[in-house]
Amino acid sequence: MAKFLKHYNNCNMKEENIQRALHQYIQEHKICGASYAFLSDTSSRNYYDGTAGCIAPYHHQILEAGDRYDLASLTKVVGTTTRILQLIEEKKLSLHTPVSSILPKLQNNQICVEDLLLHRSGLPQDILHKETLTKDNIKDRIYAIKGSMDMYHKTCYSDIGFILLGFLIEAIDQMSLEESMQMHIFKRLNMHDTSYLCDDTKRYIPTEITIERGCICKEAHDRKAHLLGQSGSAGLFSTLDDLILFAQAILRQDEHLFHKETYLLLKQIEQEQRGLGWEKPYGCHVLYHTGFTGTSMLLDMEKKQGFILLTNRIHPTRHQTDFLEFRKKLNQIYLEE
């Protein structure tokens, strides 16, 4: 079975059920492995089960503390949403600030910051004809997207919206996303292993194997994030231990991150099962988000407890879609009374 660190006094039945289910799923070779934690605002129970991958050299690498995962869209909440809310606290932005007032190249004058956070801007989920994107044209292509007036103020998950939020952070802070998030989020919480930049001395978990890029590792899987270098939508790498530090800061309402009023907004605002940056499929007080690579974070702000799951479910291929339903079942088990 999985090895664990940082014990609770007693492992409750629902956690044991999740542990068994994940171990069986790994034994059936549906995923290579999982790093996961059950946590409160003050303690955690961490598990590492399986291997880093299915091909050499990863198939011999037993998962352990310190392994770095491509967070994919968890970047949206761990990094981008967090810094945007801090900028609002600093009165450098408001939820109602028109995005084009800071990013004049944007072809849409109607969209405000709150629209992007709630995924109701009318912008599409992704860029058409992604295969034609290059490092030289991607920013102009993003600014040129006008969105749909028919979809304005209707919920539609959009990577484009969070890329724009990343541009906002860079414009206001006058520094890169890496520099901004290190200064304002990660260093404050002692998250020493979270970064857009890869360190050759550390171990990274591989993601998809593609014809174009081979076995993707130590670089962002998301194509747009890969071309941009640093993106508000995806591209951060982190460890289970670092994400526990972030999650616990949210659960205990740590003022190193936000003022109490902002935590209240995170809890209260909900439209069509979405909050500010976060998903809310399990109730207004439960913050949730996933990443395409197989990552997820679930935080119950009332009970001050959470469940973090890190996998590379798209390794070697993204076509293992059973995982998405499997993860929903794990979440349901965790949230059972």
Side-chain angles (χ1 to χ4, degrees):
M1 289 292 284
K3 57 183 179 179
F4 61 84
L5 311 173
K6 297 183 184 176
H7 305 252
Y8 286 130
N9 288 332
N10 293 293
C11 177
N12 64 40
M13 186 59 69
K14 66 182 179 182
E15 292 175 7
E16 288 183 4
N17 288 341
I18 291 171
Q19 183 184 357
R20 289 193 190 96
L22 273 166
H23 185 69
Q24 181 64 31
Y25 204 70
I26 293 164
Q27 291 299 301
E28 292 171 358
H29 304 291
K30 292 185 176 180
I31 55 174
C32 298
S35 303
Y36 58 103
F38 307 109
L39 58 136
S40 71
D41 57 341
T42 59
S43 62
S44 70
R45 182 180 179 89
N46 304 3
Y47 295 85
Y48 303 90
D49 194 357
T51 61
C54 65
I55 63 170
Y58 308 110
H59 65 307
H60 290 311
Q61 295 177 0
I62 304 300
L63 292 178
E64 59 187 27
D67 287 338
R68 298 188 181 197
Y69 286 80
D70 181 339
L71 297 187
S73 283
L74 272 189
T75 300
K76 291 179 171 73
V77 289
V78 173
T80 307
T81 296
T82 301
R83 182 60 191 141
I84 288 290
L85 293 178
Q86 289 174 339
L87 288 169
I88 291 171
E89 289 186 342
E90 295 165 16
K91 302 193 183 306
K92 295 176 181 177
L93 274 180
S94 79
L95 288 174
H96 306 297
T97 299
V99 177
S100 61
S101 69
I102 299 170
L103 302 176
K105 289 184 179 181
L106 183 64
Q107 297 296 303
N108 188 317
N109 296 323
Q110 190 172 14
I111 298 170
C112 69
V113 171
E114 185 177 40
D115 293 331
L116 298 183
L117 288 170
L118 290 170
H119 293 277
R120 61 172 197 179
S121 63
L123 292 170
Q125 179 175 354
D126 214 336
I127 303 174
L128 293 175
H129 310 298
K130 282 196 295 184
E131 68 280 1
T132 64
L133 291 174
T134 67
K135 291 182 179 180
D136 293 328
N137 71 20
I138 185 170
K139 284 192 174 182
D140 289 338
R141 291 273 296 275
I142 289 167
Y143 281 129
I145 297 172
K146 293 183 178 180
S148 167
M149 289 304 298
D150 291 339
M151 290 301 296
Y152 184 60
H153 278 192
K154 295 180 181 177
T155 300
C156 177
Y157 184 83
S158 175
D159 276 359
I160 308 306
F162 269 76
I163 292 173
L164 290 172
L165 288 173
F167 292 170
L168 277 180
I169 293 168
E170 291 174 325
I172 294 170
D173 284 339
Q174 289 294 290
M175 60 181 72
S176 69
L177 288 178
E178 172 73 14
E179 292 168 326
S180 174
M181 291 179 188
Q182 290 294 345
M183 179 183 298
H184 299 289
I185 306 170
F186 307 145
K187 288 183 179 178
R188 290 185 186 183
L189 300 180
N190 295 314
M191 295 169 64
H192 302 303
D193 294 317
T194 303
S195 178
Y196 285 100
L197 309 177
C198 291
D199 180 344
D200 285 339
T201 68
K202 305 295 183 180
R203 200 168 79 165
Y204 289 78
I205 303 302
T207 56
E208 192 172 21
I209 301 173
T210 69
I211 294 173
E212 179 186 2
R213 295 170 64 187
C215 183
I216 300 170
C217 191
K218 295 188 180 181
E219 59 184 38
H221 172 267
D222 181 89
R223 178 173 172 78
K224 300 181 295 299
H226 179 58
L227 292 174
L228 287 166
Q230 297 171 24
S231 166
S233 179
L236 278 175
F237 293 83
S238 191
T239 63
L240 183 61
D241 282 331
D242 266 17
L243 292 180
I244 290 168
L245 292 174
F246 176 82
Q248 288 177 329
I250 296 284
L251 293 176
R252 67 172 177 267
Q253 300 191 18
D254 192 325
E255 293 194 356
H256 287 95
L257 206 56
F258 302 128
H259 302 319
K260 288 186 178 179
E261 294 79 9
T262 300
Y263 288 109
L264 193 60
L265 283 178
L266 275 174
K267 187 174 177 180
Q268 288 181 338
I269 293 180
E270 187 270 331
Q271 294 187 18
E272 298 183 58
Q273 296 191 342
R274 289 209 170 267
L276 296 176
W278 294 82
E279 300 175 50
K280 292 192 171 185
Y282 303 111
C284 204
H285 61 284
V286 178
L287 305 181
Y288 183 62
H289 213 286
T290 63
F292 185 76
T293 50
T295 59
S296 62
M297 182 181 294
L298 187 156
L299 304 176
D300 188 325
M301 295 183 74
E302 283 190 356
K303 294 182 178 178
K304 297 187 182 300
Q305 62 187 30
F307 172 39
I308 298 171
L309 174 62
L310 303 179
T311 77
N312 55 343
R313 65 103 184 173
I314 60 171
H315 177 83
T317 172
R318 68 179 65 194
H319 299 302
Q320 209 299 75
T321 55
D322 170 72
F323 175 82
L324 304 181
E325 286 302 316
F326 174 71
R327 183 171 58 194
K328 286 181 183 178
K329 292 176 182 176
L330 297 183
N331 291 338
Q332 289 164 357
I333 293 170
Y334 183 75
L335 291 167
E336 286 174 356
E337 295 295 337

